[in-house]
Amino acid sequence: MSKQRFQLKILDERLGDTIPMPSYATEGSAGLDLRACVEQPLTLAPGETDLIPTGMALHIDDPSLAAMILPRSGLGHKHGIVLGNLVGLIDSDYQGQIMVSCWNRGNTTFTIEPGERIAQLVIVPVVQAEFELVNEFDASLRGEGGFGSTGGR
Ligand SMILES: O=c1ccn([C@H]2C[C@H](O)[C@@H](COP(=O)(O)OP(=O)(O)OP(=O)(O)O)O2)c(=O)[nH]1
Ligand SMILES: [Mg+2]
């Protein structure tokens, strides 16, 4: 298990009080559940997208890490509540509020309650690329084949 400490700012005073802090649901969870810091229940009609505050800012600070915001599978599968950007990427130098773009891709209206868990945040390793310009690559087994080039099932 790898654990690391990050600076976090509470931007909504309900967070850590009436709205629980983001936390791992189980010891083995990869994602921290993020909660909607909305003032009122927020209704998302089919097709609608809204940007939802999480009430907190996280400074990852380490360029070899980033955070990704992913949908919760239950909300996404059962209710069609996914992310307007499909996946959110939080840069290590971002110090603003973490926002979640919620998209109702389903065909029924969904209401997000204050404090509801709307998405999850996963800390991931990052390698920043530098480029070495070449004219030819050393041969690989795949070469330039892609998009189904390895044949049927
Ligand atoms: O779901 C998201 C995605 C991004 N962000 C914040 C953190 C991230 O570091 C910043 C910029 O995100 P990104 O680079 O994906 O957006 P952009 O459209 O390229 O904006 P920018 O020009 O600010 O980089 O916005 C969020 O709070 N939630
Ligand atoms: Mg960007």
Side-chain angles (χ1 to χ4, degrees), residues 6-25 31-37 54-58 115-117:
F6 299 99
Q7 290 192 344
L8 184 142
K9 262 196 213 168
I10 290 180
L11 304 175
D12 183 315
E13 59 191 17
R14 293 171 301 170
L15 195 63
D17 185 24
T18 55
I19 298 180
M21 289 287 287
S23 66
Y24 294 100
L32 279 165
D33 285 330
L34 298 174
R35 293 179 183 265
C37 282
T54 62
M56 61 178 223
L58 176 72
E116 186 167 350
R117 293 177 295 159

PDB file of all heavy atoms in Angstrom, residues 6-25 31-37 54-58 115-117:
ATOM      1  N   PHE A   6      -1.157  15.028   1.062  1.00  0.00           N
ATOM      2  CA  PHE A   6      -1.320  16.164   0.150  1.00  0.00           C
ATOM      3  C   PHE A   6      -1.990  17.316   0.893  1.00  0.00           C
ATOM      4  O   PHE A   6      -2.830  17.085   1.763  1.00  0.00           O
ATOM      5  CB  PHE A   6      -2.206  15.773  -1.044  1.00  0.00           C
ATOM      6  CG  PHE A   6      -1.635  14.659  -1.869  1.00  0.00           C
ATOM      7  CD1 PHE A   6      -2.084  13.354  -1.691  1.00  0.00           C
ATOM      8  CD2 PHE A   6      -0.650  14.907  -2.801  1.00  0.00           C
ATOM      9  CE1 PHE A   6      -1.551  12.321  -2.453  1.00  0.00           C
ATOM     10  CE2 PHE A   6      -0.110  13.877  -3.570  1.00  0.00           C
ATOM     11  CZ  PHE A   6      -0.566  12.573  -3.384  1.00  0.00           C
ATOM     12  N   GLN A   7      -1.617  18.531   0.488  1.00  0.00           N
ATOM     13  CA  GLN A   7      -2.281  19.696   1.082  1.00  0.00           C
ATOM     14  C   GLN A   7      -3.678  19.841   0.475  1.00  0.00           C
ATOM     15  O   GLN A   7      -3.853  19.729  -0.739  1.00  0.00           O
ATOM     16  CB  GLN A   7      -1.460  20.952   0.833  1.00  0.00           C
ATOM     17  CG  GLN A   7      -0.167  20.937   1.639  1.00  0.00           C
ATOM     18  CD  GLN A   7       0.536  22.278   1.636  1.00  0.00           C
ATOM     19  OE1 GLN A   7       0.250  23.157   0.819  1.00  0.00           O
ATOM     20  NE2 GLN A   7       1.473  22.436   2.557  1.00  0.00           N
ATOM     21  N   LEU A   8      -4.641  20.100   1.340  1.00  0.00           N
ATOM     22  CA  LEU A   8      -6.029  20.239   0.910  1.00  0.00           C
ATOM     23  C   LEU A   8      -6.618  21.461   1.589  1.00  0.00           C
ATOM     24  O   LEU A   8      -6.385  21.689   2.773  1.00  0.00           O
ATOM     25  CB  LEU A   8      -6.794  18.973   1.312  1.00  0.00           C
ATOM     26  CG  LEU A   8      -8.251  18.874   0.867  1.00  0.00           C
ATOM     27  CD1 LEU A   8      -8.578  17.441   0.479  1.00  0.00           C
ATOM     28  CD2 LEU A   8      -9.211  19.323   1.950  1.00  0.00           C
ATOM     29  N   LYS A   9      -7.323  22.272   0.805  1.00  0.00           N
ATOM     30  CA  LYS A   9      -8.000  23.451   1.361  1.00  0.00           C
ATOM     31  C   LYS A   9      -9.490  23.189   1.355  1.00  0.00           C
ATOM     32  O   LYS A   9     -10.042  22.785   0.325  1.00  0.00           O
ATOM     33  CB  LYS A   9      -7.762  24.651   0.449  1.00  0.00           C
ATOM     34  CG  LYS A   9      -6.665  25.572   0.849  1.00  0.00           C
ATOM     35  CD  LYS A   9      -6.872  26.863   0.062  1.00  0.00           C
ATOM     36  CE  LYS A   9      -5.564  27.517  -0.266  1.00  0.00           C
ATOM     37  NZ  LYS A   9      -5.733  28.585  -1.255  1.00  0.00           N
ATOM     38  N   ILE A  10     -10.129  23.475   2.464  1.00  0.00           N
ATOM     39  CA  ILE A  10     -11.588  23.387   2.507  1.00  0.00           C
ATOM     40  C   ILE A  10     -12.164  24.727   2.072  1.00  0.00           C
ATOM     41  O   ILE A  10     -11.827  25.768   2.638  1.00  0.00           O
ATOM     42  CB  ILE A  10     -12.058  22.976   3.919  1.00  0.00           C
ATOM     43  CG1 ILE A  10     -11.659  21.516   4.150  1.00  0.00           C
ATOM     44  CG2 ILE A  10     -13.559  23.172   4.071  1.00  0.00           C
ATOM     45  CD1 ILE A  10     -12.047  20.957   5.480  1.00  0.00           C
ATOM     46  N   LEU A  11     -12.978  24.707   1.029  1.00  0.00           N
ATOM     47  CA  LEU A  11     -13.533  25.939   0.474  1.00  0.00           C
ATOM     48  C   LEU A  11     -15.006  26.093   0.813  1.00  0.00           C
ATOM     49  O   LEU A  11     -15.596  27.135   0.580  1.00  0.00           O
ATOM     50  CB  LEU A  11     -13.348  25.952  -1.050  1.00  0.00           C
ATOM     51  CG  LEU A  11     -11.896  25.772  -1.525  1.00  0.00           C
ATOM     52  CD1 LEU A  11     -11.849  25.668  -3.038  1.00  0.00           C
ATOM     53  CD2 LEU A  11     -11.017  26.921  -1.045  1.00  0.00           C
ATOM     54  N   ASP A  12     -15.596  25.026   1.316  1.00  0.00           N
ATOM     55  CA  ASP A  12     -17.000  25.060   1.714  1.00  0.00           C
ATOM     56  C   ASP A  12     -17.043  24.554   3.147  1.00  0.00           C
ATOM     57  O   ASP A  12     -16.631  23.420   3.417  1.00  0.00           O
ATOM     58  CB  ASP A  12     -17.813  24.152   0.785  1.00  0.00           C
ATOM     59  CG  ASP A  12     -19.305  24.191   1.091  1.00  0.00           C
ATOM     60  OD1 ASP A  12     -19.675  24.130   2.291  1.00  0.00           O
ATOM     61  OD2 ASP A  12     -20.099  24.263   0.132  1.00  0.00           O
ATOM     62  N   GLU A  13     -17.493  25.406   4.046  1.00  0.00           N
ATOM     63  CA  GLU A  13     -17.366  25.061   5.476  1.00  0.00           C
ATOM     64  C   GLU A  13     -18.194  23.846   5.889  1.00  0.00           C
ATOM     65  O   GLU A  13     -17.971  23.278   6.959  1.00  0.00           O
ATOM     66  CB  GLU A  13     -17.685  26.281   6.355  1.00  0.00           C
ATOM     67  CG  GLU A  13     -19.068  26.824   6.137  1.00  0.00           C
ATOM     68  CD  GLU A  13     -19.282  28.180   6.816  1.00  0.00           C
ATOM     69  OE1 GLU A  13     -18.269  28.831   7.174  1.00  0.00           O
ATOM     70  OE2 GLU A  13     -20.465  28.563   6.980  1.00  0.00           O
ATOM     71  N   ARG A  14     -19.106  23.423   5.033  1.00  0.00           N
ATOM     72  CA  ARG A  14     -19.875  22.206   5.352  1.00  0.00           C
ATOM     73  C   ARG A  14     -19.023  20.951   5.208  1.00  0.00           C
ATOM     74  O   ARG A  14     -19.324  19.908   5.796  1.00  0.00           O
ATOM     75  CB  ARG A  14     -21.095  22.081   4.415  1.00  0.00           C
ATOM     76  CG  ARG A  14     -22.139  23.157   4.635  1.00  0.00           C
ATOM     77  CD  ARG A  14     -23.186  23.100   3.551  1.00  0.00           C
ATOM     78  NE  ARG A  14     -22.585  23.271   2.230  1.00  0.00           N
ATOM     79  CZ  ARG A  14     -23.228  23.079   1.085  1.00  0.00           C
ATOM     80  NH1 ARG A  14     -24.493  22.695   1.091  1.00  0.00           N
ATOM     81  NH2 ARG A  14     -22.634  23.275  -0.058  1.00  0.00           N
ATOM     82  N   LEU A  15     -17.933  21.069   4.400  1.00  0.00           N
ATOM     83  CA  LEU A  15     -17.080  19.898   4.158  1.00  0.00           C
ATOM     84  C   LEU A  15     -16.302  19.576   5.440  1.00  0.00           C
ATOM     85  O   LEU A  15     -15.629  20.437   6.013  1.00  0.00           O
ATOM     86  CB  LEU A  15     -16.127  20.182   2.989  1.00  0.00           C
ATOM     87  CG  LEU A  15     -15.432  18.967   2.384  1.00  0.00           C
ATOM     88  CD1 LEU A  15     -16.429  17.995   1.772  1.00  0.00           C
ATOM     89  CD2 LEU A  15     -14.431  19.414   1.313  1.00  0.00           C
ATOM     90  N   GLY A  16     -16.398  18.338   5.854  1.00  0.00           N
ATOM     91  CA  GLY A  16     -15.772  17.930   7.125  1.00  0.00           C
ATOM     92  C   GLY A  16     -16.698  18.156   8.302  1.00  0.00           C
ATOM     93  O   GLY A  16     -16.366  17.822   9.443  1.00  0.00           O
ATOM     94  N   ASP A  17     -17.882  18.742   8.033  1.00  0.00           N
ATOM     95  CA  ASP A  17     -18.870  18.978   9.090  1.00  0.00           C
ATOM     96  C   ASP A  17     -20.139  18.200   8.727  1.00  0.00           C
ATOM     97  O   ASP A  17     -20.240  17.013   9.024  1.00  0.00           O
ATOM     98  CB  ASP A  17     -19.108  20.489   9.212  1.00  0.00           C
ATOM     99  CG  ASP A  17     -20.035  20.839  10.357  1.00  0.00           C
ATOM    100  OD1 ASP A  17     -20.137  20.040  11.298  1.00  0.00           O
ATOM    101  OD2 ASP A  17     -20.676  21.917  10.303  1.00  0.00           O
ATOM    102  N   THR A  18     -21.058  18.853   8.027  1.00  0.00           N
ATOM    103  CA  THR A  18     -22.282  18.123   7.644  1.00  0.00           C
ATOM    104  C   THR A  18     -22.077  17.277   6.390  1.00  0.00           C
ATOM    105  O   THR A  18     -22.819  16.338   6.140  1.00  0.00           O
ATOM    106  CB  THR A  18     -23.457  19.095   7.420  1.00  0.00           C
ATOM    107  OG1 THR A  18     -23.052  20.062   6.447  1.00  0.00           O
ATOM    108  CG2 THR A  18     -23.832  19.800   8.700  1.00  0.00           C
ATOM    109  N   ILE A  19     -21.069  17.652   5.582  1.00  0.00           N
ATOM    110  CA  ILE A  19     -20.728  16.851   4.392  1.00  0.00           C
ATOM    111  C   ILE A  19     -19.391  16.167   4.686  1.00  0.00           C
ATOM    112  O   ILE A  19     -18.404  16.849   4.976  1.00  0.00           O
ATOM    113  CB  ILE A  19     -20.642  17.742   3.127  1.00  0.00           C
ATOM    114  CG1 ILE A  19     -22.008  18.385   2.838  1.00  0.00           C
ATOM    115  CG2 ILE A  19     -20.139  16.941   1.931  1.00  0.00           C
ATOM    116  CD1 ILE A  19     -22.042  19.293   1.621  1.00  0.00           C
ATOM    117  N   PRO A  20     -19.361  14.832   4.629  1.00  0.00           N
ATOM    118  CA  PRO A  20     -18.107  14.137   4.957  1.00  0.00           C
ATOM    119  C   PRO A  20     -16.961  14.507   4.017  1.00  0.00           C
ATOM    120  O   PRO A  20     -17.189  14.797   2.840  1.00  0.00           O
ATOM    121  CB  PRO A  20     -18.466  12.656   4.798  1.00  0.00           C
ATOM    122  CG  PRO A  20     -19.955  12.593   4.861  1.00  0.00           C
ATOM    123  CD  PRO A  20     -20.455  13.899   4.329  1.00  0.00           C
ATOM    124  N   MET A  21     -15.762  14.473   4.554  1.00  0.00           N
ATOM    125  CA  MET A  21     -14.561  14.671   3.744  1.00  0.00           C
ATOM    126  C   MET A  21     -14.479  13.541   2.724  1.00  0.00           C
ATOM    127  O   MET A  21     -14.963  12.443   2.962  1.00  0.00           O
ATOM    128  CB  MET A  21     -13.317  14.605   4.633  1.00  0.00           C
ATOM    129  CG  MET A  21     -13.142  15.789   5.544  1.00  0.00           C
ATOM    130  SD  MET A  21     -12.638  17.244   4.619  1.00  0.00           S
ATOM    131  CE  MET A  21     -10.942  16.804   4.241  1.00  0.00           C
ATOM    132  N   PRO A  22     -13.816  13.802   1.585  1.00  0.00           N
ATOM    133  CA  PRO A  22     -13.639  12.711   0.623  1.00  0.00           C
ATOM    134  C   PRO A  22     -12.865  11.583   1.299  1.00  0.00           C
ATOM    135  O   PRO A  22     -11.925  11.850   2.054  1.00  0.00           O
ATOM    136  CB  PRO A  22     -12.816  13.336  -0.501  1.00  0.00           C
ATOM    137  CG  PRO A  22     -12.268  14.595   0.048  1.00  0.00           C
ATOM    138  CD  PRO A  22     -13.148  15.035   1.155  1.00  0.00           C
ATOM    139  N   SER A  23     -13.288  10.375   1.035  1.00  0.00           N
ATOM    140  CA  SER A  23     -12.599   9.267   1.698  1.00  0.00           C
ATOM    141  C   SER A  23     -12.690   8.018   0.844  1.00  0.00           C
ATOM    142  O   SER A  23     -13.495   7.930  -0.080  1.00  0.00           O
ATOM    143  CB  SER A  23     -13.218   9.011   3.072  1.00  0.00           C
ATOM    144  OG  SER A  23     -14.536   8.543   2.892  1.00  0.00           O
ATOM    145  N   TYR A  24     -11.825   7.068   1.166  1.00  0.00           N
ATOM    146  CA  TYR A  24     -11.852   5.767   0.504  1.00  0.00           C
ATOM    147  C   TYR A  24     -12.932   4.932   1.182  1.00  0.00           C
ATOM    148  O   TYR A  24     -12.950   4.806   2.407  1.00  0.00           O
ATOM    149  CB  TYR A  24     -10.471   5.103   0.619  1.00  0.00           C
ATOM    150  CG  TYR A  24      -9.406   5.854  -0.157  1.00  0.00           C
ATOM    151  CD1 TYR A  24      -8.525   6.723   0.478  1.00  0.00           C
ATOM    152  CD2 TYR A  24      -9.318   5.728  -1.540  1.00  0.00           C
ATOM    153  CE1 TYR A  24      -7.569   7.432  -0.242  1.00  0.00           C
ATOM    154  CE2 TYR A  24      -8.372   6.433  -2.270  1.00  0.00           C
ATOM    155  CZ  TYR A  24      -7.500   7.280  -1.618  1.00  0.00           C
ATOM    156  OH  TYR A  24      -6.572   7.988  -2.335  1.00  0.00           O
ATOM    157  N   ALA A  25     -13.823   4.361   0.391  1.00  0.00           N
ATOM    158  CA  ALA A  25     -14.958   3.620   0.946  1.00  0.00           C
ATOM    159  C   ALA A  25     -14.493   2.344   1.649  1.00  0.00           C
ATOM    160  O   ALA A  25     -15.096   1.923   2.637  1.00  0.00           O
ATOM    161  CB  ALA A  25     -15.968   3.291  -0.155  1.00  0.00           C
ATOM    162  N   GLY A  31     -10.309   4.780  -5.501  1.00  0.00           N
ATOM    163  CA  GLY A  31     -10.872   6.115  -5.697  1.00  0.00           C
ATOM    164  C   GLY A  31     -11.411   6.709  -4.410  1.00  0.00           C
ATOM    165  O   GLY A  31     -11.994   6.012  -3.576  1.00  0.00           O
ATOM    166  N   LEU A  32     -11.184   8.011  -4.282  1.00  0.00           N
ATOM    167  CA  LEU A  32     -11.771   8.800  -3.185  1.00  0.00           C
ATOM    168  C   LEU A  32     -13.095   9.342  -3.689  1.00  0.00           C
ATOM    169  O   LEU A  32     -13.123  10.021  -4.721  1.00  0.00           O
ATOM    170  CB  LEU A  32     -10.906  10.023  -2.923  1.00  0.00           C
ATOM    171  CG  LEU A  32      -9.659   9.946  -2.097  1.00  0.00           C
ATOM    172  CD1 LEU A  32      -8.828  11.210  -2.334  1.00  0.00           C
ATOM    173  CD2 LEU A  32     -10.042   9.840  -0.630  1.00  0.00           C
ATOM    174  N   ASP A  33     -14.167   9.089  -2.993  1.00  0.00           N
ATOM    175  CA  ASP A  33     -15.448   9.620  -3.447  1.00  0.00           C
ATOM    176  C   ASP A  33     -15.525  11.127  -3.217  1.00  0.00           C
ATOM    177  O   ASP A  33     -15.181  11.622  -2.141  1.00  0.00           O
ATOM    178  CB  ASP A  33     -16.594   8.908  -2.724  1.00  0.00           C
ATOM    179  CG  ASP A  33     -16.806   7.493  -3.267  1.00  0.00           C
ATOM    180  OD1 ASP A  33     -16.522   7.268  -4.462  1.00  0.00           O
ATOM    181  OD2 ASP A  33     -17.256   6.626  -2.503  1.00  0.00           O
ATOM    182  N   LEU A  34     -15.940  11.830  -4.256  1.00  0.00           N
ATOM    183  CA  LEU A  34     -16.104  13.287  -4.189  1.00  0.00           C
ATOM    184  C   LEU A  34     -17.585  13.605  -4.005  1.00  0.00           C
ATOM    185  O   LEU A  34     -18.442  12.967  -4.610  1.00  0.00           O
ATOM    186  CB  LEU A  34     -15.612  13.932  -5.489  1.00  0.00           C
ATOM    187  CG  LEU A  34     -14.138  13.742  -5.821  1.00  0.00           C
ATOM    188  CD1 LEU A  34     -13.839  14.320  -7.204  1.00  0.00           C
ATOM    189  CD2 LEU A  34     -13.267  14.411  -4.761  1.00  0.00           C
ATOM    190  N   ARG A  35     -17.851  14.594  -3.179  1.00  0.00           N
ATOM    191  CA  ARG A  35     -19.244  14.916  -2.861  1.00  0.00           C
ATOM    192  C   ARG A  35     -19.667  16.264  -3.428  1.00  0.00           C
ATOM    193  O   ARG A  35     -18.859  17.183  -3.517  1.00  0.00           O
ATOM    194  CB  ARG A  35     -19.436  14.894  -1.346  1.00  0.00           C
ATOM    195  CG  ARG A  35     -19.280  13.470  -0.800  1.00  0.00           C
ATOM    196  CD  ARG A  35     -19.434  13.429   0.693  1.00  0.00           C
ATOM    197  NE  ARG A  35     -19.218  12.079   1.206  1.00  0.00           N
ATOM    198  CZ  ARG A  35     -20.191  11.196   1.436  1.00  0.00           C
ATOM    199  NH1 ARG A  35     -21.455  11.516   1.211  1.00  0.00           N
ATOM    200  NH2 ARG A  35     -19.900   9.998   1.902  1.00  0.00           N
ATOM    201  N   ALA A  36     -20.926  16.336  -3.783  1.00  0.00           N
ATOM    202  CA  ALA A  36     -21.470  17.560  -4.382  1.00  0.00           C
ATOM    203  C   ALA A  36     -21.658  18.618  -3.304  1.00  0.00           C
ATOM    204  O   ALA A  36     -22.488  18.456  -2.413  1.00  0.00           O
ATOM    205  CB  ALA A  36     -22.810  17.255  -5.049  1.00  0.00           C
ATOM    206  N   CYS A  37     -20.901  19.701  -3.397  1.00  0.00           N
ATOM    207  CA  CYS A  37     -21.091  20.805  -2.450  1.00  0.00           C
ATOM    208  C   CYS A  37     -22.015  21.831  -3.088  1.00  0.00           C
ATOM    209  O   CYS A  37     -21.601  22.956  -3.408  1.00  0.00           O
ATOM    210  CB  CYS A  37     -19.749  21.392  -2.044  1.00  0.00           C
ATOM    211  SG  CYS A  37     -18.916  20.368  -0.818  1.00  0.00           S
ATOM    212  N   THR A  54     -16.810  20.785  -5.473  1.00  0.00           N
ATOM    213  CA  THR A  54     -16.569  19.744  -4.460  1.00  0.00           C
ATOM    214  C   THR A  54     -16.231  20.360  -3.104  1.00  0.00           C
ATOM    215  O   THR A  54     -16.009  19.638  -2.146  1.00  0.00           O
ATOM    216  CB  THR A  54     -15.408  18.823  -4.873  1.00  0.00           C
ATOM    217  OG1 THR A  54     -14.221  19.628  -4.978  1.00  0.00           O
ATOM    218  CG2 THR A  54     -15.690  18.121  -6.188  1.00  0.00           C
ATOM    219  N   GLY A  55     -16.115  21.690  -3.078  1.00  0.00           N
ATOM    220  CA  GLY A  55     -15.850  22.357  -1.808  1.00  0.00           C
ATOM    221  C   GLY A  55     -14.406  22.266  -1.350  1.00  0.00           C
ATOM    222  O   GLY A  55     -14.099  22.605  -0.209  1.00  0.00           O
ATOM    223  N   MET A  56     -13.531  21.807  -2.233  1.00  0.00           N
ATOM    224  CA  MET A  56     -12.138  21.663  -1.796  1.00  0.00           C
ATOM    225  C   MET A  56     -11.162  21.895  -2.936  1.00  0.00           C
ATOM    226  O   MET A  56     -11.495  21.779  -4.113  1.00  0.00           O
ATOM    227  CB  MET A  56     -11.913  20.255  -1.248  1.00  0.00           C
ATOM    228  CG  MET A  56     -12.162  19.178  -2.282  1.00  0.00           C
ATOM    229  SD  MET A  56     -11.817  17.557  -1.610  1.00  0.00           S
ATOM    230  CE  MET A  56     -10.938  16.859  -2.982  1.00  0.00           C
ATOM    231  N   ALA A  57      -9.950  22.262  -2.557  1.00  0.00           N
ATOM    232  CA  ALA A  57      -8.844  22.379  -3.499  1.00  0.00           C
ATOM    233  C   ALA A  57      -7.745  21.455  -3.013  1.00  0.00           C
ATOM    234  O   ALA A  57      -7.506  21.348  -1.807  1.00  0.00           O
ATOM    235  CB  ALA A  57      -8.359  23.827  -3.554  1.00  0.00           C
ATOM    236  N   LEU A  58      -7.099  20.801  -3.956  1.00  0.00           N
ATOM    237  CA  LEU A  58      -6.041  19.845  -3.641  1.00  0.00           C
ATOM    238  C   LEU A  58      -4.803  20.290  -4.403  1.00  0.00           C
ATOM    239  O   LEU A  58      -4.872  20.486  -5.612  1.00  0.00           O
ATOM    240  CB  LEU A  58      -6.492  18.456  -4.133  1.00  0.00           C
ATOM    241  CG  LEU A  58      -5.523  17.298  -4.009  1.00  0.00           C
ATOM    242  CD1 LEU A  58      -5.378  16.895  -2.550  1.00  0.00           C
ATOM    243  CD2 LEU A  58      -6.037  16.105  -4.831  1.00  0.00           C
ATOM    244  N   GLY A 115     -24.121  17.011  -0.789  1.00  0.00           N
ATOM    245  CA  GLY A 115     -23.342  15.992  -0.079  1.00  0.00           C
ATOM    246  C   GLY A 115     -23.312  14.639  -0.753  1.00  0.00           C
ATOM    247  O   GLY A 115     -22.594  13.741  -0.303  1.00  0.00           O
ATOM    248  N   GLU A 116     -24.052  14.478  -1.838  1.00  0.00           N
ATOM    249  CA  GLU A 116     -24.080  13.175  -2.519  1.00  0.00           C
ATOM    250  C   GLU A 116     -22.737  12.882  -3.193  1.00  0.00           C
ATOM    251  O   GLU A 116     -22.069  13.775  -3.709  1.00  0.00           O
ATOM    252  CB  GLU A 116     -25.204  13.190  -3.571  1.00  0.00           C
ATOM    253  CG  GLU A 116     -25.403  11.846  -4.223  1.00  0.00           C
ATOM    254  CD  GLU A 116     -26.708  11.764  -5.015  1.00  0.00           C
ATOM    255  OE1 GLU A 116     -27.551  12.674  -4.911  1.00  0.00           O
ATOM    256  OE2 GLU A 116     -26.845  10.759  -5.744  1.00  0.00           O
ATOM    257  N   ARG A 117     -22.356  11.615  -3.185  1.00  0.00           N
ATOM    258  CA  ARG A 117     -21.114  11.203  -3.855  1.00  0.00           C
ATOM    259  C   ARG A 117     -21.360  11.140  -5.357  1.00  0.00           C
ATOM    260  O   ARG A 117     -22.186  10.370  -5.818  1.00  0.00           O
ATOM    261  CB  ARG A 117     -20.650   9.845  -3.322  1.00  0.00           C
ATOM    262  CG  ARG A 117     -20.217   9.919  -1.856  1.00  0.00           C
ATOM    263  CD  ARG A 117     -19.823   8.570  -1.318  1.00  0.00           C
ATOM    264  NE  ARG A 117     -20.970   7.687  -1.285  1.00  0.00           N
ATOM    265  CZ  ARG A 117     -20.878   6.349  -1.241  1.00  0.00           C
ATOM    266  NH1 ARG A 117     -19.702   5.758  -1.234  1.00  0.00           N
ATOM    267  NH2 ARG A 117     -21.963   5.606  -1.202  1.00  0.00           N
TER     268      ARG A 117
END
